[in-house]
Amino acid sequence: AIQLTQSPSSLSASVGDRVTIFCRASQDIRSELAWYQQKPGMAPNLLISDASTLEGGVPSRFSGSGSGTDFSLTISSLQPEDFATYYCQQFDNFPLTFGGGTKVEIK
Amino acid sequence: QVQLVESGGGVVHPGGSLTLSCAASGFTFGYYAMHWVRQAPGKGLEWVAFMRFDGSDRKYADSVKGRFTISRDNSKNTLYLQLSGLRVEDTAVYYCAKDRHWHFDVWGRGTPVTVSS
């Protein structure tokens, strides 16, 4: 199975900060990567597919980049509603796998 | 609007069985593959099972293979997950999710399953 390693596992940041989360795959997954946001007690929400394609309705302060084994999710200016846990997920092949998550907390 | 609503979760003893349902609305259910994803308390997300739109292909995580069965009834717009041989480590919130090329563009709110003696 393809392993996804997210870093950091948690971070503290202030409103307005630029934040970058990393996701490394154990093998080449081309651009078959998605990013999700999950708030406490809620289901995950798809933010980005195909490594860099923003979902409709997702604010433009979110962006994704990368291909192959190294990927990143950037929030250009952190807003209060962005404090949540973020997961990457590969869909290059089965079994589908997720990264361990990155919790973004308020500093 | 597009909606997925899970039901059927509960408390069950180790070795027990349970069937989860996921009612879909707001889209043509029979055109889309579907998945189950779970999340243990305080833990990350784990993909569990996949079923193609017409039921012709199913895939499972190794952790549930041989114990869980995914199925669907397109006439009822409903996805199912039969859980058997349940273990304490199967305790989780179970989400159904709509497929978009093997990732998940719509999620339900989840149904909790607790396996405990």
Side-chain angles (χ1 to χ4, degrees), chain A residues 49-103:
Chain A
S49 60
D50 299 326
S52 60
T53 301
L54 205 63
E55 284 295 296
V58 175
S60 59
R61 62 181 179 272
F62 290 91
S63 64
S65 66
S67 66
T69 60
D70 292 299
F71 302 87
S72 62
L73 171 71
T74 297
I75 309 172
S76 60
S77 177
L78 201 62
Q79 297 302 299
E81 60 268 31
D82 301 337
F83 291 95
T85 300
Y86 294 84
Y87 294 93
C88 57
Q89 179 240 329
Q90 66 81 19
F91 51 95
D92 186 63
N93 58 36
F94 285 90
L96 307 176
T97 51
F98 291 89
T102 297
K103 186 173 184 179

Side-chain angles (χ1 to χ4, degrees), chain B residues 15-66:
Chain B
S17 301
L18 210 56
T19 297
L20 309 182
S21 300
C22 170
S25 59
F27 66 102
T28 307
F29 178 73
Y31 284 4
Y32 292 92
M34 296 292 293
H35 301 261
W36 289 96
V37 177
R38 68 183 180 182
Q39 186 168 35
K43 302 297 184 182
L45 300 167
E46 180 187 17
W47 169 78
V48 172
F50 157 89
M51 177 167 258
R52 200 165 177 257
F53 70 98
D54 58 0
S56 63
D57 191 22
R58 312 175 199 207
K59 298 188 187 297
Y60 298 93
D62 285 347
S63 59
V64 307
K65 202 173 293 183

Side-chain angles (χ1 to χ4, degrees), chain A residues 8-85:
Chain A
S9 55
S10 66
L11 64 90
S12 295
S14 301
V15 173
D17 284 353
R18 180 182 180 89
V19 166
T20 299
I21 297 167
F22 299 94
C23 179
R24 174 165 286 177
S26 60
Q27 65 188 66
D28 186 347
I29 59 170
R30 302 174 291 166
S31 295
E32 311 289 79
L33 189 97
W35 289 97
Y36 302 87
Q37 176 192 66
Q38 187 179 33
K39 297 180 179 179
M42 297 183 67
N45 180 51
L46 178 64
L47 297 177
I48 287 172
S49 60
D50 299 326
S52 60
T53 301
L54 205 63
E55 284 295 296
V58 175
S60 59
R61 62 181 179 272
F62 290 91
S63 64
S65 66
S67 66
T69 60
D70 292 299
F71 302 87
S72 62
L73 171 71
T74 297
I75 309 172
S76 60
S77 177
L78 201 62
Q79 297 302 299
E81 60 268 31
D82 301 337
F83 291 95
T85 300

